[in-house]
Amino acid sequence: MFVLVGLGLKLEHLTLEALEIIKACDKVFLEKYTLDISYDFDALTKLTGKNIKLIERKDVESYSFLPLSEEKDKKTNKNVALLVFGDPLIATTHTELLLEAKQRGLETRIIHNISILNVISRTGLQPYKFGKIASIPFWQENIEYRPCGFYNLLEQNQKIGAHTLFLLDLNPIDNKYLSPGLAIEMLIKCEMLKKKQIINEDTLFIVCSRLCSNTEKIVVGKYNKIKSIGFGLPPHCIIIPSPPHFKEQEFLSQFNSS
Amino acid sequence: MFVLVGLGLKLEHLTLEALEIIKACDKVFLEKYTLDISYDFDALTKLTGKNIKLIERKDVESYSFLPLSEEKDKKTNKNVALLVFGDPLIATTHTELLLEAKQRGLETRIIHNISILNVISRTGLQPYKFGKIASIPFWQENIEYRPCGFYNLLEQNQKIGAHTLFLLDLNPIDNKYLSPGLAIEMLIKCEMLKKKQIINEDTLFIVCSRLCSNTEKIVVGKYNKIKSIGFGLPPHCIIIPSPPHFKEQEFLSQFNSS
């Protein structure tokens, strides 16, 4: 059996189902690439009593940790779990893992958990009103090309009055992450390049840092306010709301930076 | 203190955080209106050791169960929890509850959990590519007016190439729920009224029933196939995908009804 297990955003998000199935698995892996610096990995190890093996992104993509087939799987008594932060089906690679496992004749299970899609509701914005989600990637230094796909997606969402969630790139292995200030500068740069007039000095940004942690920070403001604020360690995300409903506005006003 | 606690979609979705905080609360309420028939309420009571009081929708909306203030709260040692299926911030009423509690000077906490927004990823469709979410409500019998807001929202999402999730109305108290077949007929009726040519006989529907339960059913097909299928008890939801990516298509093909 192959199980994809969501860990949520912190140790306390572990579900009864996840705890039970991790304990029942013979081999437990966690993808190093997604190792969130704020996650209490040692406590997870203690709680589950498992030797959790960290593996590289390339091991996940080459399926090298997957059992070969259910038959072989049974003989060697190997139920294998891959632990994933958040909910396990947010990243494309993981649906491919499930397809590969099925092709090998393995039984598969998906253990869901809390993801960023849940916790952005802490801003008071209605989850129903979000449009497509964009990632803001690192722009390569020394290369002139500036991909603005995230800006184009914002334009699409704004056309239909939907809120836009931007996930900011991070690379935990290199301890490298996109800061909210830089991400907003990239949006402004795209505005200057594309000139669709969807971002201006009155645009409201909602910056969410370390949602659900003890150091959670939610700030609402225009770029002029936001740029002087230090948001600290990742994960960060930014929301550009469509004109909010008055109830959303009331809730948001708790987080005003000014 | 007032705590909004998400229960997820089944007992096993309970998080360590939710379990701990329910146990620590003096009064625990669950809104009767949202009582999901498939949820093991007795097991929840046993697991938490709490006398969980079922309250009516009107009690939630009138805040009658909320402590009056933190001061009084401390004296009477009453930490109050309201349990909610799924994630607690999906319904508007609950952000209003938080605002009301804050106005009363109460400390508030939000305990997240798995919601329908997570588990639709079981179809293999990318959560990133979903647009705004629509509820399909019961149409009133004996009244000619047929509100088609959900159809208009589909049109908006299709304009930007986003998948559309429809949540089907259900009223657990009266044991009344909208069946997937009827919901699709309502969409077709709206097409006939509005004539935007966004639904036709080739439209692909993904019907998801009782996601994450032992009787989960995911069916992909056109209306002609779908209409002859019995989907059983709720909850149900329907997805109309935008033209899917080939990887999404590959995953979806597992659920073909034909």
Side-chain angles (χ1 to χ4, degrees):
Chain A
M1 184 172 66
F2 170 59
V3 199
L4 259 176
V5 183
L7 294 177
L9 306 178
K10 58 180 179 181
L11 184 72
E12 296 80 359
H13 281 172
L14 209 66
T15 62
L16 302 182
E17 188 178 43
L19 188 55
E20 187 187 352
I21 208 151
I22 294 171
K23 284 181 176 173
C25 277
D26 304 287
K27 290 198 169 185
V28 182
F29 298 96
L30 176 64
E31 193 188 330
K32 222 188 235 177
Y33 183 81
T34 58
L35 188 59
D36 187 312
I37 47 172
S38 66
Y39 196 91
D40 193 341
F41 181 69
D42 292 336
L44 178 69
T45 306
K46 263 189 207 158
L47 192 65
T48 58
K50 290 287 166 184
N51 174 20
I52 300 168
K53 194 174 170 201
L54 297 177
I55 56 175
E56 308 272 348
R57 164 64 63 103
K58 65 175 168 39
D59 298 321
V60 174
E61 287 177 349
S62 66
Y63 315 130
S64 62
F65 68 100
L66 269 186
L68 286 176
S69 70
E70 195 72 45
E71 210 38 53
K72 196 166 167 100
D73 191 27
K74 272 179 196 152
K75 278 186 198 153
T76 52
N77 190 29
K78 277 174 190 155
N79 288 317
V80 172
L82 178 66
L83 311 186
V84 179
F85 290 108
D87 186 282
L89 288 187
I90 300 301
T92 317
T93 320
H94 300 133
T95 53
E96 285 176 40
L97 266 175
L98 289 171
L99 286 173
E100 174 67 23
K102 279 182 187 170
Q103 272 161 16
R104 293 183 183 196
L106 298 171
E107 190 195 336
T108 61
R109 284 191 64 186
I110 304 156
I111 309 296
H112 290 279
N113 212 318
I114 294 155
S115 83
I116 183 71
L117 303 189
N118 301 92
V119 300
I120 49 167
S121 62
R122 297 172 79 81
T123 59
L125 291 174
Q126 274 287 300
Y128 281 34
K129 284 181 59 187
F130 276 79
K132 291 196 283 187
I133 298 165
S135 290
I136 303 190
F138 296 110
W139 272 342
Q140 283 186 275
E141 287 167 38
N142 311 322
I143 295 181
E144 207 48 50
Y145 179 57
R146 295 285 179 253
C148 287
F150 51 90
Y151 172 89
N152 299 336
L153 187 141
L154 172 66
E155 189 198 9
Q156 290 187 325
N157 284 341
Q158 289 200 339
K159 264 187 198 158
I160 66 164
H163 305 320
T164 302
L165 169 65
F166 296 103
L167 304 174
L168 307 198
D169 210 353
L170 78 172
N171 181 342
I173 291 176
D174 299 338
N175 204 15
K176 198 180 153 202
Y177 60 91
L178 204 57
S179 72
L182 183 54
I184 294 175
E185 278 172 32
M186 288 165 72
L187 277 160
I188 293 169
K189 180 93 181 171
C190 288
E191 174 64 50
M192 288 161 64
L193 288 167
K194 304 269 179 176
K195 297 187 174 56
K196 301 277 186 77
Q197 298 181 334
I198 55 175
I199 297 207
N200 58 43
E201 59 190 17
D202 285 327
T203 300
L204 214 59
F205 298 96
I206 303 167
V207 179
C208 304
S209 298
R210 301 170 301 282
L211 284 174
C212 283
S213 78
N214 293 333
T215 61
E216 169 176 295
K217 191 168 187 168
I218 299 174
V219 176
V220 178
K222 299 174 188 173
Y223 177 58
N224 258 339
K225 295 272 179 193
I226 298 275
K227 68 180 177 188
S228 60
I229 297 172
F231 291 95
L233 290 173
H236 305 291
C237 66
I238 296 174
I239 299 165
I240 298 187
S242 65
H245 187 268
F246 75 94
K247 285 178 187 171
E248 292 179 314
Q249 192 60 60
E250 193 183 351
F251 204 88
L252 274 179
S253 65
Q254 302 172 86
F255 309 116
N256 278 347
S257 72
S258 51
Chain B
M1 184 171 66
F2 169 58
V3 198
L4 259 177
V5 183
L7 294 178
L9 306 177
K10 58 181 178 181
L11 184 73
E12 296 80 359
H13 281 172
L14 210 66
T15 62
L16 303 181
E17 188 177 42
L19 187 56
E20 187 187 352
I21 208 152
I22 294 171
K23 284 181 175 173
C25 277
D26 304 287
K27 291 198 170 185
V28 182
F29 298 95
L30 176 64
E31 194 189 328
K32 221 189 237 176
Y33 183 80
T34 59
L35 187 58
D36 187 311
I37 47 172
S38 66
Y39 195 91
D40 194 342
F41 181 69
D42 293 336
L44 177 69
T45 307
K46 263 188 208 159
L47 192 64
T48 57
K50 289 287 166 183
N51 174 21
I52 300 168
K53 195 175 171 200
L54 296 178
I55 57 175
E56 309 272 348
R57 164 64 63 105
K58 66 176 169 35
D59 298 322
V60 174
E61 288 177 349
S62 67
Y63 315 130
S64 62
F65 68 101
L66 268 187
L68 286 176
S69 71
E70 195 71 44
E71 210 38 54
K72 197 167 165 101
D73 191 29
K74 271 178 197 153
K75 278 184 199 153
T76 54
N77 190 29
K78 277 175 189 153
N79 289 317
V80 172
L82 178 67
L83 312 186
V84 179
F85 289 108
D87 187 282
L89 288 187
I90 299 301
T92 317
T93 321
H94 299 132
T95 52
E96 285 176 39
L97 265 175
L98 290 171
L99 285 173
E100 174 66 23
K102 280 182 187 171
Q103 272 162 16
R104 294 183 183 196
L106 298 170
E107 192 196 335
T108 61
R109 284 191 64 187
I110 303 155
I111 309 296
H112 290 279
N113 212 319
I114 294 155
S115 83
I116 182 72
L117 304 188
N118 301 92
V119 300
I120 49 167
S121 62
R122 298 172 79 80
T123 59
L125 291 175
Q126 273 288 299
Y128 282 33
K129 284 181 60 188
F130 277 79
K132 289 196 283 186
I133 298 166
S135 289
I136 302 190
F138 296 110
W139 272 342
Q140 283 185 276
E141 287 167 38
N142 311 321
I143 294 180
E144 206 47 50
Y145 179 56
R146 297 283 178 253
C148 286
F150 51 90
Y151 172 90
N152 298 336
L153 187 141
L154 171 66
E155 189 197 10
Q156 290 186 327
N157 284 340
Q158 289 201 339
K159 262 187 199 159
I160 67 164
H163 305 320
T164 302
L165 169 64
F166 296 103
L167 303 174
L168 308 197
D169 209 353
L170 78 172
N171 181 343
I173 291 176
D174 300 337
N175 204 15
K176 198 179 152 203
Y177 60 91
L178 204 58
S179 71
L182 182 55
I184 293 175
E185 279 171 32
M186 289 165 73
L187 278 160
I188 293 170
K189 180 94 182 169
C190 288
E191 174 64 50
M192 287 162 64
L193 288 168
K194 304 268 178 176
K195 296 187 174 51
K196 301 277 185 78
Q197 298 182 333
I198 56 174
I199 297 210
N200 59 43
E201 58 190 18
D202 285 327
T203 300
L204 214 59
F205 298 96
I206 303 167
V207 179
C208 304
S209 298
R210 300 171 302 283
L211 284 174
C212 282
S213 79
N214 293 333
T215 61
E216 168 176 296
K217 191 169 187 168
I218 299 174
V219 176
V220 178
K222 299 173 187 173
Y223 178 58
N224 258 339
K225 295 271 178 194
I226 298 275
K227 69 180 177 188
S228 60
I229 296 172
F231 290 96
L233 290 172
H236 305 289
C237 67
I238 296 174
I239 299 164
I240 298 186
S242 66
H245 187 269
F246 76 93
K247 285 176 185 171
E248 292 178 315
Q249 193 60 59
E250 192 182 351
F251 205 88
L252 274 180
S253 64
Q254 303 172 85
F255 309 116
N256 278 347
S257 71
S258 53

